[in-house]
Amino acid sequence: MSAEAGASAASLPIALDAAGGDHGAPPNVEGAVLAARGGVRVLLVGDRVALHAELGKFQGSAGLPLEIVDAPDVVGMDEHATDVRGRSGASINVCTRLVKDGHAAAAVSMGHSGATMASALLTFGRIRGVERPAILTHMPARGGMTTLLDAGANADVKASYLVQWARLSTVYLKVLEGRDNPTVGLLSIGEEDHKGSALVLEAHALLRALHGNGINFHGNVEGRDIFLGTTDIVVTDGFTGNVVLKLAEGEARVMFGWIRDALNSGLKSRLGGLLVRTSLRGLADRLDPSTYGASILIGVRGLAFIGHGSADATAVKNALLRASRAHEGRLLPRLEAAFGEQGAVPAAAGE
């Protein structure tokens, strides 16, 4: 079935790349079913026959707001991101076209992250005033979470990119998380204004000049501040941000392995483990990437969310819910309005 062209903006479904990811259709379809039971309309994009067969495993799915859009091709996880060009039948390209043509509110993919970024950028283009889009992700922190960007879209950056990402993430947190005046930190090797690389020093000057004009700039922050929740937002280049993200994910897995080993080291430890099992499960949920579902590619003129290739059904469901909230909150027009109102980033001293 195809999406209805006359659907109103408020009722637009989310286009899910149901063929993408390490495990293909099963977790995508299950996550879509869970989201649909929560009231989110979903377009399942992929091989029609395979998706119908997978959807048939869920009792009552025929009555849910789910539709299947055929896409005969998929960009594999081992292919190059540029392979997305010219493959009109690839599931991620079908998803982004559905958004571009007004048949879907957002595109969500747990598949090839590079291909998703390339497809979104080629199909949507950039918001006026944004030089490069960024991957915005959430990391667990004391008291809640810290929003980090860029998490991997741009290894080599300019200072102006970091300022633009600070603006984008500020609006994002206002719309989706209800943060009235989120604070922005610039990742560096010291809190002092004079610490950091040439890039950091230039970005610091630009951010300081814009403090109070759409950006609540805290100053430099260090790596530990991400987990302490010192600021709501931390901006950095995509190379550093991706290293931080993968390091945190790896450390969380190792830490829980240590805890599991310690609690199984003897009879008393096992008894103690039974007493703290509920608390540990809550901690595990906070550290689980599936809690946040997917990261938004922010800065393009369309809503696109990128998840982990190993995502499970819970991650898919949460990604769809987050995408739906972004659309209902009119995130994209508010991002465009913020850049239209605030104009260009001022040049650093000496330019």
Side-chain angles (χ1 to χ4, degrees), residues 238-269:
F239 183 94
T240 304
N242 191 263
V243 170
V244 168
L245 178 63
K246 299 295 175 57
L247 176 63
E249 291 175 351
E251 180 64 15
R253 282 192 289 268
V254 170
M255 182 185 69
F256 270 99
W258 289 340
I259 293 173
R260 183 175 57 250
D261 292 343
L263 293 177
N264 288 323
S265 61
L267 178 59
K268 289 184 179 179
S269 297

PDB file of all heavy atoms in Angstrom, residues 238-269:
ATOM      1  N   GLY A 238      33.121  16.156  14.751  1.00  0.00           N
ATOM      2  CA  GLY A 238      32.558  14.825  14.630  1.00  0.00           C
ATOM      3  C   GLY A 238      33.532  13.709  14.933  1.00  0.00           C
ATOM      4  O   GLY A 238      33.123  12.634  15.391  1.00  0.00           O
ATOM      5  N   PHE A 239      34.824  13.914  14.701  1.00  0.00           N
ATOM      6  CA  PHE A 239      35.826  12.903  15.023  1.00  0.00           C
ATOM      7  C   PHE A 239      35.884  12.693  16.533  1.00  0.00           C
ATOM      8  O   PHE A 239      35.762  11.568  17.031  1.00  0.00           O
ATOM      9  CB  PHE A 239      37.196  13.332  14.485  1.00  0.00           C
ATOM     10  CG  PHE A 239      38.285  12.322  14.693  1.00  0.00           C
ATOM     11  CD1 PHE A 239      38.600  11.409  13.701  1.00  0.00           C
ATOM     12  CD2 PHE A 239      39.005  12.288  15.887  1.00  0.00           C
ATOM     13  CE1 PHE A 239      39.610  10.468  13.896  1.00  0.00           C
ATOM     14  CE2 PHE A 239      40.009  11.352  16.086  1.00  0.00           C
ATOM     15  CZ  PHE A 239      40.310  10.440  15.087  1.00  0.00           C
ATOM     16  N   THR A 240      36.047  13.795  17.265  1.00  0.00           N
ATOM     17  CA  THR A 240      36.118  13.707  18.721  1.00  0.00           C
ATOM     18  C   THR A 240      34.803  13.207  19.311  1.00  0.00           C
ATOM     19  O   THR A 240      34.791  12.359  20.206  1.00  0.00           O
ATOM     20  CB  THR A 240      36.459  15.085  19.318  1.00  0.00           C
ATOM     21  OG1 THR A 240      37.672  15.563  18.730  1.00  0.00           O
ATOM     22  CG2 THR A 240      36.612  15.010  20.826  1.00  0.00           C
ATOM     23  N   GLY A 241      33.698  13.722  18.802  1.00  0.00           N
ATOM     24  CA  GLY A 241      32.395  13.330  19.322  1.00  0.00           C
ATOM     25  C   GLY A 241      32.119  11.852  19.156  1.00  0.00           C
ATOM     26  O   GLY A 241      31.565  11.196  20.056  1.00  0.00           O
ATOM     27  N   ASN A 242      32.512  11.293  18.017  1.00  0.00           N
ATOM     28  CA  ASN A 242      32.283   9.871  17.792  1.00  0.00           C
ATOM     29  C   ASN A 242      33.161   9.020  18.698  1.00  0.00           C
ATOM     30  O   ASN A 242      32.718   7.993  19.221  1.00  0.00           O
ATOM     31  CB  ASN A 242      32.546   9.526  16.327  1.00  0.00           C
ATOM     32  CG  ASN A 242      32.078   8.135  15.967  1.00  0.00           C
ATOM     33  OD1 ASN A 242      32.857   7.195  15.958  1.00  0.00           O
ATOM     34  ND2 ASN A 242      30.792   8.008  15.679  1.00  0.00           N
ATOM     35  N   VAL A 243      34.405   9.464  18.918  1.00  0.00           N
ATOM     36  CA  VAL A 243      35.285   8.751  19.845  1.00  0.00           C
ATOM     37  C   VAL A 243      34.696   8.769  21.257  1.00  0.00           C
ATOM     38  O   VAL A 243      34.670   7.744  21.957  1.00  0.00           O
ATOM     39  CB  VAL A 243      36.700   9.366  19.841  1.00  0.00           C
ATOM     40  CG1 VAL A 243      37.545   8.782  20.973  1.00  0.00           C
ATOM     41  CG2 VAL A 243      37.382   9.110  18.506  1.00  0.00           C
ATOM     42  N   VAL A 244      34.199   9.922  21.691  1.00  0.00           N
ATOM     43  CA  VAL A 244      33.583  10.045  23.013  1.00  0.00           C
ATOM     44  C   VAL A 244      32.393   9.096  23.141  1.00  0.00           C
ATOM     45  O   VAL A 244      32.243   8.375  24.138  1.00  0.00           O
ATOM     46  CB  VAL A 244      33.135  11.497  23.271  1.00  0.00           C
ATOM     47  CG1 VAL A 244      32.231  11.580  24.500  1.00  0.00           C
ATOM     48  CG2 VAL A 244      34.344  12.407  23.451  1.00  0.00           C
ATOM     49  N   LEU A 245      31.549   9.076  22.117  1.00  0.00           N
ATOM     50  CA  LEU A 245      30.349   8.239  22.147  1.00  0.00           C
ATOM     51  C   LEU A 245      30.706   6.758  22.229  1.00  0.00           C
ATOM     52  O   LEU A 245      30.164   6.022  23.065  1.00  0.00           O
ATOM     53  CB  LEU A 245      29.507   8.518  20.896  1.00  0.00           C
ATOM     54  CG  LEU A 245      28.228   7.703  20.727  1.00  0.00           C
ATOM     55  CD1 LEU A 245      27.253   7.994  21.851  1.00  0.00           C
ATOM     56  CD2 LEU A 245      27.585   8.016  19.380  1.00  0.00           C
ATOM     57  N   LYS A 246      31.616   6.301  21.361  1.00  0.00           N
ATOM     58  CA  LYS A 246      31.989   4.883  21.353  1.00  0.00           C
ATOM     59  C   LYS A 246      32.736   4.499  22.629  1.00  0.00           C
ATOM     60  O   LYS A 246      32.580   3.376  23.137  1.00  0.00           O
ATOM     61  CB  LYS A 246      32.844   4.584  20.123  1.00  0.00           C
ATOM     62  CG  LYS A 246      32.143   4.855  18.795  1.00  0.00           C
ATOM     63  CD  LYS A 246      30.961   3.932  18.586  1.00  0.00           C
ATOM     64  CE  LYS A 246      30.181   4.265  17.314  1.00  0.00           C
ATOM     65  NZ  LYS A 246      31.003   4.234  16.095  1.00  0.00           N
ATOM     66  N   LEU A 247      33.556   5.408  23.143  1.00  0.00           N
ATOM     67  CA  LEU A 247      34.252   5.142  24.400  1.00  0.00           C
ATOM     68  C   LEU A 247      33.254   4.953  25.539  1.00  0.00           C
ATOM     69  O   LEU A 247      33.383   4.027  26.358  1.00  0.00           O
ATOM     70  CB  LEU A 247      35.197   6.297  24.726  1.00  0.00           C
ATOM     71  CG  LEU A 247      35.944   6.221  26.067  1.00  0.00           C
ATOM     72  CD1 LEU A 247      36.872   5.018  26.101  1.00  0.00           C
ATOM     73  CD2 LEU A 247      36.734   7.507  26.316  1.00  0.00           C
ATOM     74  N   ALA A 248      32.254   5.813  25.600  1.00  0.00           N
ATOM     75  CA  ALA A 248      31.250   5.724  26.658  1.00  0.00           C
ATOM     76  C   ALA A 248      30.448   4.432  26.554  1.00  0.00           C
ATOM     77  O   ALA A 248      30.173   3.764  27.569  1.00  0.00           O
ATOM     78  CB  ALA A 248      30.308   6.924  26.585  1.00  0.00           C
ATOM     79  N   GLU A 249      30.074   4.053  25.337  1.00  0.00           N
ATOM     80  CA  GLU A 249      29.307   2.822  25.151  1.00  0.00           C
ATOM     81  C   GLU A 249      30.142   1.604  25.557  1.00  0.00           C
ATOM     82  O   GLU A 249      29.655   0.678  26.205  1.00  0.00           O
ATOM     83  CB  GLU A 249      28.857   2.698  23.700  1.00  0.00           C
ATOM     84  CG  GLU A 249      27.795   3.727  23.315  1.00  0.00           C
ATOM     85  CD  GLU A 249      27.457   3.667  21.835  1.00  0.00           C
ATOM     86  OE1 GLU A 249      28.153   2.955  21.069  1.00  0.00           O
ATOM     87  OE2 GLU A 249      26.489   4.336  21.424  1.00  0.00           O
ATOM     88  N   GLY A 250      31.421   1.606  25.157  1.00  0.00           N
ATOM     89  CA  GLY A 250      32.289   0.488  25.509  1.00  0.00           C
ATOM     90  C   GLY A 250      32.537   0.400  26.998  1.00  0.00           C
ATOM     91  O   GLY A 250      32.507  -0.690  27.583  1.00  0.00           O
ATOM     92  N   GLU A 251      32.758   1.536  27.640  1.00  0.00           N
ATOM     93  CA  GLU A 251      33.000   1.555  29.078  1.00  0.00           C
ATOM     94  C   GLU A 251      31.778   1.068  29.849  1.00  0.00           C
ATOM     95  O   GLU A 251      31.908   0.361  30.855  1.00  0.00           O
ATOM     96  CB  GLU A 251      33.375   2.970  29.534  1.00  0.00           C
ATOM     97  CG  GLU A 251      33.651   3.118  31.026  1.00  0.00           C
ATOM     98  CD  GLU A 251      34.861   2.326  31.497  1.00  0.00           C
ATOM     99  OE1 GLU A 251      35.663   1.893  30.653  1.00  0.00           O
ATOM    100  OE2 GLU A 251      34.999   2.148  32.726  1.00  0.00           O
ATOM    101  N   ALA A 252      30.584   1.435  29.393  1.00  0.00           N
ATOM    102  CA  ALA A 252      29.361   0.985  30.058  1.00  0.00           C
ATOM    103  C   ALA A 252      29.255  -0.536  30.011  1.00  0.00           C
ATOM    104  O   ALA A 252      28.897  -1.181  31.013  1.00  0.00           O
ATOM    105  CB  ALA A 252      28.144   1.623  29.399  1.00  0.00           C
ATOM    106  N   ARG A 253      29.566  -1.129  28.858  1.00  0.00           N
ATOM    107  CA  ARG A 253      29.489  -2.591  28.745  1.00  0.00           C
ATOM    108  C   ARG A 253      30.518  -3.270  29.649  1.00  0.00           C
ATOM    109  O   ARG A 253      30.219  -4.256  30.332  1.00  0.00           O
ATOM    110  CB  ARG A 253      29.709  -3.015  27.290  1.00  0.00           C
ATOM    111  CG  ARG A 253      28.484  -2.818  26.414  1.00  0.00           C
ATOM    112  CD  ARG A 253      28.644  -3.520  25.080  1.00  0.00           C
ATOM    113  NE  ARG A 253      29.631  -2.863  24.230  1.00  0.00           N
ATOM    114  CZ  ARG A 253      29.354  -1.934  23.341  1.00  0.00           C
ATOM    115  NH1 ARG A 253      28.099  -1.523  23.209  1.00  0.00           N
ATOM    116  NH2 ARG A 253      30.305  -1.393  22.595  1.00  0.00           N
ATOM    117  N   VAL A 254      31.737  -2.725  29.682  1.00  0.00           N
ATOM    118  CA  VAL A 254      32.777  -3.296  30.528  1.00  0.00           C
ATOM    119  C   VAL A 254      32.401  -3.160  32.006  1.00  0.00           C
ATOM    120  O   VAL A 254      32.568  -4.100  32.802  1.00  0.00           O
ATOM    121  CB  VAL A 254      34.133  -2.613  30.247  1.00  0.00           C
ATOM    122  CG1 VAL A 254      35.174  -3.028  31.282  1.00  0.00           C
ATOM    123  CG2 VAL A 254      34.622  -2.963  28.848  1.00  0.00           C
ATOM    124  N   MET A 255      31.881  -1.997  32.382  1.00  0.00           N
ATOM    125  CA  MET A 255      31.516  -1.753  33.772  1.00  0.00           C
ATOM    126  C   MET A 255      30.462  -2.745  34.248  1.00  0.00           C
ATOM    127  O   MET A 255      30.563  -3.309  35.343  1.00  0.00           O
ATOM    128  CB  MET A 255      31.003  -0.320  33.938  1.00  0.00           C
ATOM    129  CG  MET A 255      30.642   0.037  35.376  1.00  0.00           C
ATOM    130  SD  MET A 255      29.920   1.687  35.508  1.00  0.00           S
ATOM    131  CE  MET A 255      28.345   1.433  34.687  1.00  0.00           C
ATOM    132  N   PHE A 256      29.452  -2.983  33.413  1.00  0.00           N
ATOM    133  CA  PHE A 256      28.416  -3.927  33.816  1.00  0.00           C
ATOM    134  C   PHE A 256      28.955  -5.347  33.868  1.00  0.00           C
ATOM    135  O   PHE A 256      28.495  -6.170  34.657  1.00  0.00           O
ATOM    136  CB  PHE A 256      27.207  -3.828  32.887  1.00  0.00           C
ATOM    137  CG  PHE A 256      26.198  -2.826  33.356  1.00  0.00           C
ATOM    138  CD1 PHE A 256      26.156  -1.556  32.815  1.00  0.00           C
ATOM    139  CD2 PHE A 256      25.318  -3.126  34.379  1.00  0.00           C
ATOM    140  CE1 PHE A 256      25.250  -0.613  33.271  1.00  0.00           C
ATOM    141  CE2 PHE A 256      24.411  -2.203  34.843  1.00  0.00           C
ATOM    142  CZ  PHE A 256      24.377  -0.945  34.292  1.00  0.00           C
ATOM    143  N   GLY A 257      29.950  -5.644  33.035  1.00  0.00           N
ATOM    144  CA  GLY A 257      30.601  -6.944  33.130  1.00  0.00           C
ATOM    145  C   GLY A 257      31.316  -7.103  34.456  1.00  0.00           C
ATOM    146  O   GLY A 257      31.259  -8.165  35.093  1.00  0.00           O
ATOM    147  N   TRP A 258      31.995  -6.028  34.892  1.00  0.00           N
ATOM    148  CA  TRP A 258      32.666  -6.068  36.183  1.00  0.00           C
ATOM    149  C   TRP A 258      31.662  -6.252  37.327  1.00  0.00           C
ATOM    150  O   TRP A 258      31.901  -7.032  38.253  1.00  0.00           O
ATOM    151  CB  TRP A 258      33.432  -4.758  36.405  1.00  0.00           C
ATOM    152  CG  TRP A 258      34.643  -4.595  35.544  1.00  0.00           C
ATOM    153  CD1 TRP A 258      35.336  -5.571  34.888  1.00  0.00           C
ATOM    154  CD2 TRP A 258      35.302  -3.358  35.257  1.00  0.00           C
ATOM    155  NE1 TRP A 258      36.384  -5.033  34.200  1.00  0.00           N
ATOM    156  CE2 TRP A 258      36.408  -3.680  34.402  1.00  0.00           C
ATOM    157  CE3 TRP A 258      35.091  -2.042  35.612  1.00  0.00           C
ATOM    158  CZ2 TRP A 258      37.283  -2.709  33.917  1.00  0.00           C
ATOM    159  CZ3 TRP A 258      35.963  -1.065  35.129  1.00  0.00           C
ATOM    160  CH2 TRP A 258      37.038  -1.392  34.301  1.00  0.00           C
ATOM    161  N   ILE A 259      30.559  -5.526  37.249  1.00  0.00           N
ATOM    162  CA  ILE A 259      29.538  -5.633  38.297  1.00  0.00           C
ATOM    163  C   ILE A 259      28.972  -7.050  38.335  1.00  0.00           C
ATOM    164  O   ILE A 259      28.794  -7.646  39.405  1.00  0.00           O
ATOM    165  CB  ILE A 259      28.414  -4.602  38.063  1.00  0.00           C
ATOM    166  CG1 ILE A 259      28.959  -3.183  38.251  1.00  0.00           C
ATOM    167  CG2 ILE A 259      27.244  -4.859  39.015  1.00  0.00           C
ATOM    168  CD1 ILE A 259      27.974  -2.095  37.872  1.00  0.00           C
ATOM    169  N   ARG A 260      28.687  -7.611  37.149  1.00  0.00           N
ATOM    170  CA  ARG A 260      28.142  -8.972  37.079  1.00  0.00           C
ATOM    171  C   ARG A 260      29.129  -9.981  37.668  1.00  0.00           C
ATOM    172  O   ARG A 260      28.744 -10.866  38.452  1.00  0.00           O
ATOM    173  CB  ARG A 260      27.823  -9.328  35.635  1.00  0.00           C
ATOM    174  CG  ARG A 260      27.172 -10.696  35.467  1.00  0.00           C
ATOM    175  CD  ARG A 260      26.751 -10.947  34.025  1.00  0.00           C
ATOM    176  NE  ARG A 260      27.887 -10.837  33.116  1.00  0.00           N
ATOM    177  CZ  ARG A 260      28.049  -9.842  32.247  1.00  0.00           C
ATOM    178  NH1 ARG A 260      27.157  -8.864  32.175  1.00  0.00           N
ATOM    179  NH2 ARG A 260      29.105  -9.814  31.446  1.00  0.00           N
ATOM    180  N   ASP A 261      30.401  -9.818  37.334  1.00  0.00           N
ATOM    181  CA  ASP A 261      31.416 -10.735  37.870  1.00  0.00           C
ATOM    182  C   ASP A 261      31.520 -10.610  39.384  1.00  0.00           C
ATOM    183  O   ASP A 261      31.650 -11.622  40.100  1.00  0.00           O
ATOM    184  CB  ASP A 261      32.783 -10.442  37.239  1.00  0.00           C
ATOM    185  CG  ASP A 261      32.830 -10.785  35.758  1.00  0.00           C
ATOM    186  OD1 ASP A 261      31.930 -11.530  35.304  1.00  0.00           O
ATOM    187  OD2 ASP A 261      33.750 -10.296  35.067  1.00  0.00           O
ATOM    188  N   ALA A 262      31.470  -9.363  39.877  1.00  0.00           N
ATOM    189  CA  ALA A 262      31.584  -9.150  41.319  1.00  0.00           C
ATOM    190  C   ALA A 262      30.390  -9.757  42.063  1.00  0.00           C
ATOM    191  O   ALA A 262      30.555 -10.350  43.133  1.00  0.00           O
ATOM    192  CB  ALA A 262      31.681  -7.653  41.616  1.00  0.00           C
ATOM    193  N   LEU A 263      29.196  -9.619  41.491  1.00  0.00           N
ATOM    194  CA  LEU A 263      27.998 -10.140  42.152  1.00  0.00           C
ATOM    195  C   LEU A 263      27.890 -11.654  42.066  1.00  0.00           C
ATOM    196  O   LEU A 263      27.088 -12.255  42.788  1.00  0.00           O
ATOM    197  CB  LEU A 263      26.750  -9.495  41.535  1.00  0.00           C
ATOM    198  CG  LEU A 263      26.584  -7.993  41.794  1.00  0.00           C
ATOM    199  CD1 LEU A 263      25.360  -7.456  41.084  1.00  0.00           C
ATOM    200  CD2 LEU A 263      26.509  -7.699  43.286  1.00  0.00           C
ATOM    201  N   ASN A 264      28.685 -12.280  41.211  1.00  0.00           N
ATOM    202  CA  ASN A 264      28.671 -13.737  41.096  1.00  0.00           C
ATOM    203  C   ASN A 264      29.909 -14.382  41.714  1.00  0.00           C
ATOM    204  O   ASN A 264      30.161 -15.572  41.509  1.00  0.00           O
ATOM    205  CB  ASN A 264      28.587 -14.146  39.617  1.00  0.00           C
ATOM    206  CG  ASN A 264      27.221 -13.865  39.022  1.00  0.00           C
ATOM    207  OD1 ASN A 264      26.202 -14.019  39.691  1.00  0.00           O
ATOM    208  ND2 ASN A 264      27.201 -13.442  37.765  1.00  0.00           N
ATOM    209  N   SER A 265      30.680 -13.585  42.480  1.00  0.00           N
ATOM    210  CA  SER A 265      31.956 -14.072  43.003  1.00  0.00           C
ATOM    211  C   SER A 265      31.827 -14.950  44.244  1.00  0.00           C
ATOM    212  O   SER A 265      32.800 -15.554  44.674  1.00  0.00           O
ATOM    213  CB  SER A 265      32.872 -12.886  43.312  1.00  0.00           C
ATOM    214  OG  SER A 265      32.286 -12.048  44.298  1.00  0.00           O
ATOM    215  N   GLY A 266      30.666 -15.026  44.835  1.00  0.00           N
ATOM    216  CA  GLY A 266      30.478 -15.856  46.021  1.00  0.00           C
ATOM    217  C   GLY A 266      29.029 -15.848  46.462  1.00  0.00           C
ATOM    218  O   GLY A 266      28.199 -15.114  45.919  1.00  0.00           O
ATOM    219  N   LEU A 267      28.709 -16.664  47.451  1.00  0.00           N
ATOM    220  CA  LEU A 267      27.326 -16.783  47.916  1.00  0.00           C
ATOM    221  C   LEU A 267      26.796 -15.460  48.445  1.00  0.00           C
ATOM    222  O   LEU A 267      25.690 -15.033  48.103  1.00  0.00           O
ATOM    223  CB  LEU A 267      27.228 -17.859  48.995  1.00  0.00           C
ATOM    224  CG  LEU A 267      25.829 -18.064  49.621  1.00  0.00           C
ATOM    225  CD1 LEU A 267      24.812 -18.450  48.537  1.00  0.00           C
ATOM    226  CD2 LEU A 267      25.884 -19.120  50.717  1.00  0.00           C
ATOM    227  N   LYS A 268      27.602 -14.775  49.272  1.00  0.00           N
ATOM    228  CA  LYS A 268      27.151 -13.493  49.826  1.00  0.00           C
ATOM    229  C   LYS A 268      26.938 -12.459  48.722  1.00  0.00           C
ATOM    230  O   LYS A 268      25.987 -11.677  48.757  1.00  0.00           O
ATOM    231  CB  LYS A 268      28.164 -12.980  50.841  1.00  0.00           C
ATOM    232  CG  LYS A 268      28.206 -13.767  52.143  1.00  0.00           C
ATOM    233  CD  LYS A 268      29.175 -13.136  53.127  1.00  0.00           C
ATOM    234  CE  LYS A 268      29.198 -13.901  54.439  1.00  0.00           C
ATOM    235  NZ  LYS A 268      30.155 -13.311  55.416  1.00  0.00           N
ATOM    236  N   SER A 269      27.830 -12.472  47.751  1.00  0.00           N
ATOM    237  CA  SER A 269      27.699 -11.526  46.644  1.00  0.00           C
ATOM    238  C   SER A 269      26.438 -11.792  45.833  1.00  0.00           C
ATOM    239  O   SER A 269      25.739 -10.858  45.416  1.00  0.00           O
ATOM    240  CB  SER A 269      28.922 -11.606  45.733  1.00  0.00           C
ATOM    241  OG  SER A 269      30.092 -11.230  46.419  1.00  0.00           O
TER     242      SER A 269
END
